[in-house]
Amino acid sequence: MKFSLAGAPHLPASRTVGEVMRDVIYALVPGILAYAWFFGIGVLVQILIAALAGLGFEYAMLRLRGRPVQPFLGDCSVLITAVLLALCLPPLMPWWATVLGMFFAVVVAKHLYGGLGHNLFNPAMVGYVVLLIAFPAQFTQWLPPRGLAESGLGATGALQAIFTGALPGGFHWDAVTQATPLDLIKTQTALNHTIPEIRQNPLFGDFGGRGWEWIANFYALGGVWLLWRRVISWRIPVAMIGSVILLSTPFWLMAPDVHPFPAQHVFSGGLVLGAFFVATDPVSASTTPRGRLIYAAGIGVLTLVIRRWGGYPDGVAFAVLLMNMAVPLIDTYTAPRIYGHPK
Amino acid sequence: MATVERARLWHFHGGIVMAHHKRLCTTEPIRAAALPGTLYVPLSQHEGQPAEPLVTAGDRVLKGQPIGAAGGWLSAPVHAPSSGKVRAVEDHAVPHPSGLPAPCIVIDTDGEDRWGEHAGIDWHSAEPETIRERLFESGVVGLGGATFPSHVKLTPGDDGPVHTLIVNGAECEPYIACDEMLMRERADDIVLGARVLQRACGATDILIAIEDLRPEIRESMERAVHADGGTDLKLALVPTVYPEGGEKQLIQVLTGLEVPAGGLPLDLGLVCMNVATAVAAYRAAEHGEPLISRIVSVTGQGIREPCNFEALIGTPLSELAAQAGGYGENVTRLIAGGPLMGFALASDQVPVTKATNCVLALRDEQVRRPQPQMPCIRCMECVRVCPAQLLPQQLYWHAEAHEFEKSRDLGLFDCIECGCCAMVCPSQIPLVDYYRFAKSELRAAEADRHRADHARRRHEARQARLARQEAEREQRLRKKKEALERRPRGDRQSEIRAAVARARAKKRDPGPD
């Protein structure tokens, strides 16, 4: 009798790359739904555009690089990039800008660096930062949350804005769009308003921005599910959020008029999304247990620094990219002590 | 008698808790395998030098008679597992990852199973050296899978005495249950064997480690330890986590100590032996029976009646499979060993060796699908499970790039090849294969370097010798010259005249030659 030959292990893997990636996408669903609930269907349209563009670029690059298409498209990693980029963009972002963002994410940041597993930078954050720097005007055009000065734009209006770049008759950009709470903090503190004064604005909720804080809660819910599924480990979310709280608390205690309180920091902008879904991207994160703590704490600290002193209202994306660069160094100096080696 | 409970133990990093499937083959007692018509006894069944054949075709052999002599200190002899006639000494298929045939002594059994002369020794009062000699003569090697010659392992080092003998009953790899059945049925022999081994290495204490998996093991082992009654003998219940049965991991769990990198348990005053090795040692010392049989789990969903056999070394696996009801439907994989560290066999026409603890037959739907290997996504699952606390993804990264030195600097040689990393890798990268490849490349490079160094040293020695001879010659010439120059000038003129006169005289009278 003849038997098949193969190396150990002989039993199937606990899970495959595709399964890991799909879990991440499932975990983002609550956050996406909350986003659509508070800010309209624009975000869903953005996800669709980004996903189609991403799959197209991924397919083209795989063909150009002579790599097998099926396993690499099937791993769903490009869909995560698409969703994360779309969640960072204003809901009415013109479609071509989203496609351009995906171009930089997939073609430049991912495939030109060697494809899955080889990219130094988080692809979604690269795409986002390129757009943020290239089209700053678009990033001032956010929508007000549900229950607050409803724009009345509706689904068709949003679609028209995304695909034609123009609002339906009777609507004006200034009337329809709003700044984000972090924008307000940035501009108003520069005008010497105190934080309690700024927070009087109806854009603010209990902790962070109105609506935004709830979306952050749902991101965190998905993140906890990923922790429970052991797709991500506790180190990065805990170190990133923990460092933000630890660093912002003394500043807030010393000068509560100038510095937002810690929960405001945590529940604003991209911090929760970043802590559970962006910084945890295994490819571009540190790979040692201690290194992951340092890497994530670095992102938290840089985010605060950029929010307070930088030129942009939120700093998560920049912080992630900066720490991505530091990963090889961190990994070199934080390798765990091997069994049997001197303590 | 005391049992050390889990709470008193340490733990090791990583590891995997997984379905053990041991119940498959533990429902019935150990069965004696039928005497096969032909035995294929490999000459190399142990770490170290292969044995040298002592018989030739046509020789009659008795059970237990040495048929292969140890090839050195790190080697072991082999013995005839039954009586019969040597058919040939030739290459035959053996269970080896390479799949290559190896020298075997082929014996046609005569069915009488007649023992040669054998007698025990009084091991209770014998010198440790005498016991070790007896184990060496009996071909006793580690039966946990590593097959390291036991007499070598039991010889104390220069750095101090052995204080504790650890008897390893932690059989952590799924499916394998030969040690479990041994502990359930022959616990007294294990304890007696532990006493033999204790005397052989001079250990003051004995710690028998068993897994907390099954109450039956605990009951029978506690009974045996109780019957022994010694206060220097303790039983420790360890949690069932793969690879707990690895020597380094077990030592860490039991003592909280780590075997130093590149060192041995002896450096900590410890010796670690498998339970089956203890029984083999007992039989060799008490009855003079060499190691000619072992317990083999023949199991897996691909076997109709999984069970444990006591089988003679050299028994073809096909005969064991047939006695276990044969193969079931859709069997595609036959494995020597367990599903994590075992290797696939192309055929069952290979013999049981001292290393064969398990023959595992898996059905098609159970085995890992062959599928394209994905790139490493640095998910750190391998880091989480690695019991050596390595960074497996970094070792792989450099091994794949053929930067073997970098892999070595990251602890490649601290890898115990347990396969945890490859088991959990979502990209299905055969990580251990990469590490073995890198290790063999480094060893080959090391051997090359050694040869080159040797040649260079010889060349340099020759150059130095030539230079020395040249220097000596020059010095001789210089001394001669100086001696000449030191003489007064007039003398030299008269000497020249004398020499010219001598030459003229010689010219006139050429002399006898």
Side-chain angles (χ1 to χ4, degrees):
Chain A
M1 180 151 182
K2 281 282 164 199
F3 301 94
S4 66
L5 289 176
H10 303 281
L11 300 177
S14 346
R15 63 175 159 228
T16 63
V17 172
E19 284 162 5
V20 169
M21 300 287 179
R22 277 190 283 278
D23 269 3
V24 175
I25 292 175
Y26 299 150
L28 279 164
V29 168
I32 294 170
L33 293 180
Y35 198 138
W37 167 261
F38 280 106
F39 293 97
I41 63 143
V43 65
L44 301 179
V45 180
Q46 295 294 348
I47 288 175
L48 199 66
I49 297 169
L52 289 175
L55 287 170
F57 289 131
E58 181 96 348
Y59 177 79
M61 288 310 285
L62 288 171
R63 291 300 295 265
L64 276 174
R65 295 177 58 222
R67 298 297 155 107
V69 170
Q70 191 276 325
F72 284 97
L73 273 188
D75 72 25
C76 295
S77 61
V78 75
L79 290 183
I80 297 181
T81 304
V83 173
L84 289 177
L85 177 68
L87 288 175
C88 295
L89 301 178
L92 299 187
M93 195 76 176
W95 67 271
W96 51 265
T98 308
V99 172
L100 189 69
M102 283 309 287
F103 174 82
F104 274 95
V106 176
V107 176
V108 179
K110 187 175 181 183
H111 280 285
L112 292 189
Y113 276 83
L116 179 70
H118 295 78
N119 47 295
L120 181 60
F121 296 103
N122 184 304
M125 291 304 103
V126 169
Y128 167 67
V129 163
V130 166
L131 294 181
L132 183 61
I133 294 171
F135 309 105
Q138 268 75 12
F139 282 87
T140 60
Q141 294 167 344
W142 297 81
L143 292 175
R146 172 181 289 263
L148 182 75
E150 299 253 0
S151 64
L153 196 57
T156 47
L159 282 172
Q160 192 177 343
I162 292 169
F163 286 101
T164 66
L167 292 170
F171 288 95
H172 292 284
W173 281 105
D174 285 348
V176 169
T177 62
Q178 282 276 0
T180 63
L182 281 177
D183 285 329
L184 271 185
I185 291 178
K186 188 105 212 163
T187 51
Q188 299 291 304
T189 46
L191 297 170
N192 285 331
H193 291 286
T194 65
I195 297 284
E197 282 170 13
I198 301 168
R199 282 189 54 82
Q200 296 302 313
N201 189 300
L203 272 180
F204 287 90
D206 298 329
F207 298 109
R210 189 184 288 249
W212 292 109
E213 56 194 11
W214 276 104
I215 297 171
N217 280 335
F218 281 102
Y219 287 149
L221 189 73
V224 169
W225 182 72
L226 285 184
L227 280 173
W228 176 72
R229 297 270 297 161
R230 278 224 310 260
V231 170
I232 60 174
S233 92
W234 60 270
R235 288 187 178 82
I236 288 178
V238 167
M240 188 165 150
I241 295 173
S243 69
V244 165
I245 293 173
L246 274 181
L247 189 68
S248 60
T249 303
F251 281 100
W252 169 63
L253 287 176
M254 281 187 297
D257 284 351
V258 192
H259 299 283
F261 60 101
Q264 162 85 46
H265 270 301
V266 172
F267 286 98
S268 310
L271 203 95
V272 173
L273 180 69
F276 286 102
F277 294 95
V278 179
T280 52
D281 164 35
V283 177
S284 55
S286 167
T287 54
T288 67
R290 265 190 309 151
R292 288 206 160 171
L293 291 175
I294 296 169
Y295 164 80
I299 295 174
V301 170
L302 284 176
T303 300
L304 282 188
V305 168
I306 294 168
R307 279 184 184 178
R308 182 70 188 85
W309 291 288
Y312 289 92
D314 199 0
V316 174
F318 292 104
V320 167
L321 294 179
L322 286 170
M323 290 311 291
N324 283 165
M325 278 192 265
V327 160
L329 191 70
I330 297 174
D331 280 1
T332 304
Y333 287 103
T334 56
R337 186 186 63 83
I338 300 166
Y339 176 105
H341 283 244
K343 285 185 182 155
Chain B
M1 198 275 296
T3 305
V4 183
E5 292 292 343
R6 271 180 78 153
R8 302 263 313 278
L9 298 172
W10 286 263
H11 66 93
F12 67 92
H13 182 265
I16 314 179
V17 179
M18 55 186 142
H20 54 75
H21 299 290
K22 289 187 197 280
R23 256 180 248 279
L24 267 181
C25 66
T26 56
T27 47
E28 58 172 316
I30 298 171
R31 287 167 58 184
L35 179 67
T38 310
L39 293 162
Y40 302 87
V41 186
L43 284 165
S44 181
Q45 304 183 44
H46 45 260
E47 276 290 300
Q49 295 293 314
E52 307 281 349
L54 292 171
V55 290
T56 50
D59 288 359
R60 296 212 70 87
V61 291
L62 292 172
K63 185 176 179 132
Q65 176 186 330
I67 51 176
W73 161 248
L74 184 63
S75 181
V78 292
H79 302 78
S82 185
S83 59
K85 192 171 167 188
V86 176
R87 186 203 293 169
V89 180
E90 61 180 17
D91 281 1
H92 187 269
V94 293
H96 190 272
S98 70
L100 296 172
C104 292
I105 293 173
V106 185
I107 301 171
D108 288 319
T109 57
D110 56 15
E112 292 175 25
D113 208 25
R114 195 145 41 88
W115 271 97
E117 261 181 56
H118 63 290
I121 56 170
D122 180 15
W123 54 270
H124 297 276
S125 57
E127 289 296 313
E129 268 185 60
T130 314
I131 300 177
R132 292 201 295 268
E133 185 66 26
R134 165 50 61 108
L135 298 184
F136 173 57
E137 289 163 2
S138 306
V140 177
V141 299
L143 295 179
T147 61
F148 194 83
S150 297
H151 66 280
V152 179
K153 209 171 175 184
L154 289 163
T155 306
D158 308 326
D159 300 335
V162 177
H163 59 79
T164 305
L165 168 73
I166 293 171
V167 180
N168 186 350
E171 188 178 39
C172 52
E173 202 168 346
Y175 289 99
I176 309 174
C178 53
D179 288 348
E180 172 181 338
M181 294 312 290
L182 194 72
M183 287 186 280
R184 282 163 62 171
E185 296 185 17
R186 302 180 192 172
D188 291 324
D189 287 3
I190 293 173
V191 171
L192 285 165
R195 289 295 183 196
V196 173
L197 296 173
Q198 179 190 27
R199 196 151 175 86
C201 67
T204 43
D205 291 297
I206 302 176
L207 201 50
I208 303 179
I210 59 170
E211 284 175 324
D212 58 2
L213 182 68
R214 193 90 84 223
E216 293 95 320
I217 303 176
R218 182 176 179 172
E219 278 161 26
S220 71
M221 288 304 292
E222 275 185 345
R223 212 167 24 244
V225 169
H226 193 72
D228 177 88
T231 52
D232 54 348
L233 179 61
K234 285 200 180 80
L235 201 59
L237 275 183
V238 299
T240 310
V241 183
Y242 180 82
E244 176 112 84
E247 188 172 81
K248 290 178 168 181
Q249 281 61 49
L250 188 62
I251 286 172
Q252 194 175 17
V253 168
L254 293 174
T255 66
L257 302 172
E258 295 177 11
V259 179
L264 293 170
L266 268 180
D267 301 337
L268 302 172
L270 301 169
V271 168
C272 190
M273 304 293 268
N274 174 269
V275 283
T277 317
V279 173
Y282 169 68
R283 284 188 178 180
E286 179 75 24
H287 305 299
E289 292 177 13
L291 179 54
I292 50 170
S293 70
R294 67 157 301 145
I295 316 249
V296 185
S297 295
V298 179
T299 184
Q301 283 79 357
I303 286 282
R304 287 193 201 280
E305 297 159 24
C307 63
N308 288 275
F309 286 107
E310 172 145 30
L312 294 178
I313 304 297
T315 307
L317 299 188
S318 53
E319 300 204 11
L320 293 186
Q323 288 171 57
Y327 301 109
E329 308 268 294
N330 296 331
V331 176
T332 54
R333 185 71 47 85
L334 192 70
I335 300 161
L340 279 100
M341 292 184 78
F343 51 89
L345 296 167
S347 146
D348 56 6
Q349 299 299 320
V350 293
V352 170
T353 73
K354 293 174 184 178
T356 313
N357 51 4
C358 180
V359 180
L360 176 61
L362 292 179
R363 296 157 66 99
D364 189 40
E365 65 271 19
Q366 286 181 285
V367 300
R368 185 172 281 226
R369 300 278 119 222
Q371 52 186 320
Q373 171 188 325
M374 296 289 285
C376 168
I377 56 165
R378 298 160 43 99
C379 67
M380 256 179 77
E381 273 297 283
C382 51
V383 178
R384 186 176 64 80
V385 298
C386 179
Q389 272 197 278
L390 296 164
L391 296 173
Q393 85 285 2
Q394 299 295 90
L395 297 185
Y396 157 72
W397 183 269
H398 294 304
E400 198 208 16
H402 287 221
E403 297 170 331
F404 305 120
E405 277 81 12
K406 287 190 183 166
S407 296
R408 184 187 53 206
D409 295 344
L410 286 166
L412 178 66
F413 285 96
D414 294 293
C415 167
I416 59 166
E417 300 181 11
C418 63
C420 282
C421 52
M423 185 69 208
V424 299
C425 178
S427 295
Q428 311 237 31
I429 303 170
L431 291 159
V432 180
D433 293 352
Y434 278 94
Y435 306 150
R436 288 201 185 116
F437 170 64
K439 283 179 183 176
S440 66
E441 288 291 307
L442 282 168
R443 287 199 188 103
E446 182 66 30
D448 276 354
R449 199 160 36 243
H450 192 73
R451 268 196 299 278
D453 279 353
H454 186 65
R456 187 166 46 76
R457 273 198 301 277
R458 284 183 55 172
H459 176 71
E460 283 168 359
R462 179 170 179 273
Q463 293 296 99
R465 195 185 69 236
L466 292 177
R468 197 178 60 242
Q469 286 171 347
E470 179 68 19
E472 281 169 5
R473 203 173 65 88
E474 269 175 19
Q475 201 172 3
R476 260 200 322 275
L477 284 173
R478 202 171 57 243
K479 271 187 185 155
K480 223 170 186 174
K481 215 173 175 183
E482 281 170 4
L484 282 174
E485 275 172 3
R486 248 183 274 120
R487 263 179 256 174
R489 217 178 153 73
D491 255 23
R492 286 173 70 186
Q493 289 299 325
S494 62
E495 248 179 49
I496 292 168
R497 275 196 298 277
V500 169
R502 268 203 309 279
R504 278 189 189 141
K506 215 172 184 179
K507 215 173 183 178
R508 279 197 302 272
D509 176 20
D513 56 336

